[in-house]
Amino acid sequence: MKMYDLTQPLSTSTPPWPTYEPFEMKYFKRLSTERVNGQIIRTSNHVGTHLDGERHFWTAGRDIASIPLEDLVGPAAVVDVSDAVGEYGIYTPEMIEERVEVKTGDILIIHTGYHHYAYNKEEADEEAYMCKHPGPNMEFAEWCMEKEIKWVGVDCGSADHPMNTVIRKLRPDLAEECEEKLGKPLTEIFPDEGRQLMHTKLFPEGIIHVENMGGEIDELLNQRTTIGCFPWRMVDGESSISRVVAFDGME
């Protein structure tokens, strides 16, 4: 069996989601003095490749420990939309279905190409990665519900369009740039009732997502495979740093 690691490397250089605490790691024991190495980690759950759980935006939702493995592993479609959408673009269900078959109950992985801007790449551009990547609108979220998608994965900073998140307020200069690019006011493209729709609309439906994927994702574009997401078994966890793996030939 061939496995593909779809996880980004995690280090103190990995940028967290804007306004969230970064990943910190230090030694509190060393072999030189105590004959053992020991480390302490302090981090938010939203740094590097991570699973956004239901409780992240829905208080009554399942915690990370309550999500069965059967909900995290299964048949998947990996879809490359990088040729159809670029900076601030909006991807649609039609773009997905014309590139690869998506079956009811699938895991869906969206490749925008923006993982190439991640911190550990030669093309690293944190502003582009977090603030300018493509994203979906309400039509896409409704399609996910119709297809009963198990979970969605993206290779960029958020499963939502960056201008449908807090980034719109944090970076008004980029919000203006996006409006010029798309030719419409952001309030029209992303009205208040659809605020962070991939979080607020889909989590109560049991459709969660993994953000900041990468690794060997380029080797699986427009293919069907089997994928698993493996978070910490964290009681009361709203989200979790995770490892995501594709298993070739298992579907």
Side-chain angles (χ1 to χ4, degrees):
M1 180 197 308
K2 182 170 177 55
M3 293 185 288
Y4 296 87
D5 194 339
L6 309 183
T7 315
Q8 287 192 17
L10 179 63
S11 78
T12 56
S13 297
T14 306
W17 175 250
T19 74
Y20 281 63
E21 288 194 26
F23 182 84
E24 300 175 11
M25 182 174 66
K26 66 180 182 180
Y27 284 92
F28 71 96
K29 287 181 180 288
R30 297 304 300 242
L31 277 166
S32 57
T33 55
E34 292 160 291
R35 299 184 180 182
V36 63
N37 281 328
Q39 296 173 325
I40 292 174
I41 293 173
R42 175 185 172 91
T43 185
S44 63
N45 294 322
H46 301 270
V47 56
T49 304
H50 64 276
L51 175 69
D52 273 10
E54 294 173 11
R55 282 202 187 173
H56 181 36
F57 268 73
W58 183 34
T59 306
R62 295 176 296 179
D63 65 359
I64 294 298
S66 299
I67 305 173
L69 286 175
E70 290 80 6
D71 286 4
L72 297 173
V73 182
V78 183
V79 187
D80 178 22
V81 296
S82 63
D83 62 329
V85 286
E87 186 176 88
Y88 300 124
I90 297 176
Y91 46 79
T92 66
E94 290 75 23
M95 292 178 189
I96 304 299
E97 293 189 307
E98 68 186 16
R99 285 166 172 77
V100 67
E101 180 185 11
V102 179
K103 300 178 181 179
T104 300
D106 268 351
I107 294 166
L108 176 64
I109 308 300
I110 307 292
H111 175 269
T112 67
Y114 271 65
H115 69 99
H116 293 294
Y117 295 123
Y119 81 96
N120 60 321
K121 302 287 188 177
E122 292 182 4
E123 304 170 64
D125 184 337
E126 187 174 330
E127 185 179 86
Y129 182 78
M130 289 291 187
C131 306
K132 297 187 175 185
H133 61 80
N137 58 13
M138 185 62 76
E139 177 192 7
F140 182 86
E142 292 172 347
W143 175 80
C144 286
M145 289 187 278
E146 291 172 5
K147 297 292 289 188
E148 299 177 10
I149 295 299
K150 186 171 288 188
W151 56 266
V152 178
V154 295
D155 69 335
C156 51
S158 175
D160 270 301
H161 193 285
M163 291 303 144
N164 196 25
T165 71
V166 70
I167 290 174
R168 189 197 304 189
K169 293 182 178 179
L170 295 175
R171 293 295 305 271
D173 58 323
L174 298 184
E176 182 178 347
E177 181 180 88
C178 179
E179 287 184 330
E180 292 177 2
K181 185 94 171 180
L182 299 181
K184 292 182 180 180
L186 289 174
T187 52
E188 182 179 333
I189 301 171
F190 303 113
D192 288 344
E193 59 269 23
R195 180 185 65 88
Q196 285 195 247
L197 52 93
M198 294 296 288
H199 298 73
T200 59
K201 300 298 182 184
L202 295 190
F203 285 5
E205 302 296 326
I207 303 173
I208 52 182
H209 54 246
V210 174
E211 297 169 323
N212 299 352
M213 291 179 61
E216 299 173 292
I217 191 172
D218 285 338
E219 299 186 40
L220 296 170
L221 303 184
N222 296 328
Q223 298 180 38
R224 293 190 56 79
T225 185
T226 298
I227 289 180
C229 173
F230 304 99
W232 298 345
R233 194 172 183 179
M234 185 163 46
V235 175
D236 290 332
E238 49 87 19
S239 299
S240 176
I241 293 170
S242 302
R243 196 77 177 258
V244 181
V245 181
F247 303 92
D248 190 39
M250 280 190 61
E251 187 182 4

